Amino acid sequence: MLAPDRLVTPLVRADGALRSASWDEALARIAAAVKPLDGREILALQYAGSMGLLAANFPLRVMNALGACTHDAGVCDNTSSAGYAAVLGRLVGPDVETAEESDALVVWGSDVKRTIQHLQPQLQRLAKRGAPVRVVDVWRTETLRAFEKLGGRGLVLRPGTDAALALCLARLAFERGWVDRARLAAECVGAAELEAHLGGAPTLAEAARVTGLTPEEILDLGEVLRAARRPFLRTGSGWTRRTNGAMGMRAVCTLAAVLGHADRVHYESAEVFGFDRAFVTRPELRGGRPPEVVHQIQVGRELCAGRFKAVFVWGHNPAVTLPNSRAVREGLAREDVFVVVHEQVRTETAELADVVLPATFFVEHTDVYRSYGHRVAQLGRRAVAAPTGPRSNVRAFSAIARALALPGDWDVDEERLAEELVRDAEARHGAAATASLLAGEPTRIAPPAERGTPSGKVELHSAALAAAGHPPMATWVPERPTGGARAFSLVSAPSKHTHNSTYSYSPLHLARRGPARCHLNPADARALGVEEGRPVRLVNDLAALTFAATLDADVPPGLVRVDGMPRAADTPEGLPLNALNADDLSDLGDGTTYYSTRVDVEPA
């Protein structure tokens, strides 16, 4: 907030460079460029930003009034959500604040120590109490190593083979009598069909060959889940960002259900809360015409094809975070595309804009927040006053609507809007929770009673997916690599210092992170003639990027890891890491396939 490079005045492009301007001048530029356009020539390109419901969604009210195109929000968890929902329904899961009461812990594809630090104390106490702990991942993450020190066990499997492991265990559960058939019949749809289907799932020997695990490791994981009565099965979303990622999540959820643990899979809690997004976005402003929706993952190709003449960006840094980022950057830089960015600092996306509007930080505006993974919501009122220039998303986009002379009342007060959003959900939350929220208290929200699947039960067999042309049951499908036939799997891991692009503009966090590095196994380094600290080039069909090498025995042979989503400024080629990641869609949910990327490694 107090950083010297914080944006405090609007910027407009003149003679190829951004210069300071007044709000009036910036808004006039926007009006002149956008008023002549048809709504279908305008793209709303946003993501979660500071995680507030108003900040993320109110600008869509303006986009709806414009008739703009929107996107499907595929960049983060669409794949994992689609896989989970296909089997277990609503994204609810167990109450994360009761995790410590579990009798076993399985962490599947979630680097808790880097991404959910606040959950660590509970899980550590659980492990110290003697509960069995198993951590499944594709490299020896900090989480895996930490739990090994507490008596847990790590399982490092080959990338993209999660479904083979889970379905092998589901097959063994039926074959070895681990299944409560009466419970399955009562709670699930398709148990008999699944049992027959699993006759074609990997055997123990086949799963060991496919995953790289030993038969003993696979059986050990199965025994932990079989013996548990109240396990906590924590899954992440990153591991599903693959061409077969949703099938992996479906397989893990299927395994849990087969063993009687359907309600013990903790992935997300987004559908606990029940706030009505449409109350903020007001889709009726489109006059009955539904929005055209593009794949967020493929925005680069849409821009380069000339589909859009204007783009509004908020809560998002697409030039860094979207795959095929060379195309994203080229598309945003086109002379015939007018780009408006609402941002706090000069991100690489902001540097490509025609108008940049300064934004507030979350403590400088009022908003309604859902906790990630928990069941607590809060109306967070403004804590400090912003400098004169920056405006909240509500104030900034209301001003844009007035400048464009859009019909309707755009004199919107965010304090009142936040309170109205809370009151609108009272029928769902109840009077006591609503009063607590309006008082600004962290408020626990009771999850909905209904499971949310078409049948109302756990769906081991999905008629809806079958009708849509997808396999009706979880099936082992090998990963389809992206980036070409290359020797190494690329893992774009979160950095413990910058996490993603959010903190990549903080000098303090960048100093802690240090230069962007490529981690590779010492045996692979010897075979390639690569030495510690020397530059290596990662190459595939999309790009070639250079990083300093770090020899890391926690990375298995055949895999390379780059942490923290390096920006174009972090590579000598002037391209971000996502230039190596293709914009192929996942198997369900149209999500990203970052972790299916293949690269070659060569000394630079």
Side-chain angles (χ1 to χ4, degrees), residues 88-134:
L88 301 181
R90 296 188 195 279
L91 308 182
V92 175
D95 186 347
V96 70
E97 295 182 27
T98 67
E100 193 177 348
E101 301 169 11
S102 305
D103 61 356
L105 170 65
V106 174
V107 180
W108 199 307
S110 178
D111 196 352
V112 173
K113 194 166 183 180
R114 291 193 178 194
T115 60
I116 324 172
Q117 294 93 335
H118 62 281
L119 185 56
Q120 284 188 94
Q122 273 202 78
L123 301 186
Q124 288 170 348
R125 288 192 294 269
L126 178 63
K128 290 175 180 177
R129 202 178 69 223
V133 178
R134 300 295 181 265

Side-chain angles (χ1 to χ4, degrees), residues 378-381 435-443:
Q378 187 169 14
L379 193 164
R381 299 192 186 275
S436 177
L437 285 167
L438 290 172
E441 297 294 331
T443 304

Side-chain angles (χ1 to χ4, degrees), residues 580-592:
L580 292 166
N581 291 321
D583 61 4
D584 292 34
L585 301 175
S586 64
D587 51 339
L588 200 63
D590 297 329
T592 55

Side-chain angles (χ1 to χ4, degrees), residues 170-239:
R171 174 177 179 164
L172 289 173
F174 278 104
E175 292 175 347
R176 300 194 176 197
W178 298 349
V179 177
D180 183 338
R181 296 176 184 275
R183 180 173 182 171
L184 279 189
E187 296 182 356
C188 304
V189 169
E193 294 94 328
L194 177 69
E195 183 174 5
H197 174 68
L198 288 173
T203 63
L204 182 60
E206 290 168 342
R209 175 181 56 80
V210 169
T211 64
L213 300 172
T214 66
E216 186 275 332
E217 287 177 308
I218 296 173
L219 283 173
D220 170 73
L221 176 61
E223 287 289 348
V224 167
L225 287 169
R226 179 195 67 81
R229 293 293 173 264
R230 186 181 167 83
F232 189 76
L233 205 171
R234 165 64 198 172
T235 70
S237 58
W239 67 280

Side-chain angles (χ1 to χ4, degrees), residues 289-308:
R289 190 182 78 183
E292 294 184 11
V293 181
V294 301
H295 295 307
Q296 186 184 19
I297 306 312
Q298 296 178 341
V299 158
R301 64 172 72 181
E302 299 280 3
L303 290 169
C304 288
R307 177 171 178 175
F308 298 110

